[in-house]
Amino acid sequence: MRYNLYDGVEIRTENAAKPASQPSKYLLSIMSNLENVESSFDYGCGKLRYSEHILKSTSILTVVDSECQLSREQYLFGRKTSIRSLYERANVVDVYNQEEFDLVERKYDRGFCINVLSAVPSYEWRWKIVKSIHRKLATGGEVLFVVQYRNSDFSRMMRMENTRPWLDGFIIDSRRGYSFYGLLPPQRLHRFLLRAGFHVTDFKLNEGSAYMWATAR
């Protein structure tokens, strides 16, 4: 996803997306114990780091990201292709950008928003994402939000000459362009979700990340 901030600063979150070969073992353990459902979505799917694992517990999967991330050619599962091309003949995977997802009539049983909110450099856009997810959940549906709240490298990176403070993190200017790295404390995420109309059912902390399950009220 891309966010225009000020003076030509454009944050390209796709630059920070990790490949499918680098999943979190802790998150995979959570996914391996999920009951099967009819439909799920992966909001902010990035480089499909978890999409194939989500498919193991759902009949239909929708992956959501910016049009740039979905249409650009990149290396996915060892070959150069785009997310749209990869799934163009898949009967069980739908691909939508954010605007298309907002127009989908389907209500989903389960959703995932993994390392998205803490990478978004705008309170307004964080709110839009959370409200969009809220609208797409069926009655009794659940969503797992994962955010980073602690990082041992942050203090060091904040002292670098090519960084500047922004919101709850900082912007870093590199050869690949501007990137944003934020830390979203669990308590703040909890209040944010309550305000958006969610009921938080469970949360756990692991190695600097918060894992928060919520249902739409």
Side-chain angles (χ1 to χ4, degrees), residues 180-196:
F180 171 75
Y181 296 90
L183 294 178
L184 189 51
Q187 299 86 349
R188 187 181 303 167
L189 174 63
H190 187 274
R191 292 194 299 268
F192 192 57
L193 296 183
L194 291 181
R195 188 160 61 90

Side-chain angles (χ1 to χ4, degrees), residues 128-143:
K128 287 181 179 180
I129 290 170
V130 168
K131 292 300 290 183
S132 177
I133 289 173
H134 185 275
R135 289 193 297 270
K136 288 297 174 286
L137 283 179
T139 301
E142 61 182 0
V143 56

Side-chain angles (χ1 to χ4, degrees), residues 55 59-62 90-94:
L55 264 174
S59 299
I60 297 171
L61 172 63
T62 291
N91 295 325
V92 296
V93 181
D94 297 319

Side-chain angles (χ1 to χ4, degrees), residues 138-202:
T139 301
E142 61 182 0
V143 56
L144 175 62
F145 291 94
V146 181
V147 298
Q148 190 175 39
Y149 72 91
R150 188 184 67 223
N151 187 311
S152 59
D153 288 333
F154 262 53
S155 297
R156 176 186 59 82
M157 296 175 72
M158 283 289 289
R159 294 193 295 269
M160 295 169 56
E161 294 183 356
N162 59 335
T163 65
R164 68 188 78 174
W166 186 260
L167 300 186
D168 40 24
F170 60 88
I171 295 170
I172 184 168
D173 184 6
S174 66
R175 289 180 296 176
R176 299 180 64 188
Y178 294 96
S179 299
F180 171 75
Y181 296 90
L183 294 178
L184 189 51
Q187 299 86 349
R188 187 181 303 167
L189 174 63
H190 187 274
R191 292 194 299 268
F192 192 57
L193 296 183
L194 291 181
R195 188 160 61 90
F198 284 99
H199 171 62
V200 175
T201 58
D202 188 28

Side-chain angles (χ1 to χ4, degrees), residues 77-97:
F77 306 111
R79 65 188 181 97
K80 196 169 186 180
T81 184
S82 70
I83 293 175
R84 287 201 181 275
S85 296
L86 182 69
Y87 289 131
E88 63 182 347
R89 293 183 176 86
N91 295 325
V92 296
V93 181
D94 297 319
V95 181
Y96 298 123
N97 60 37

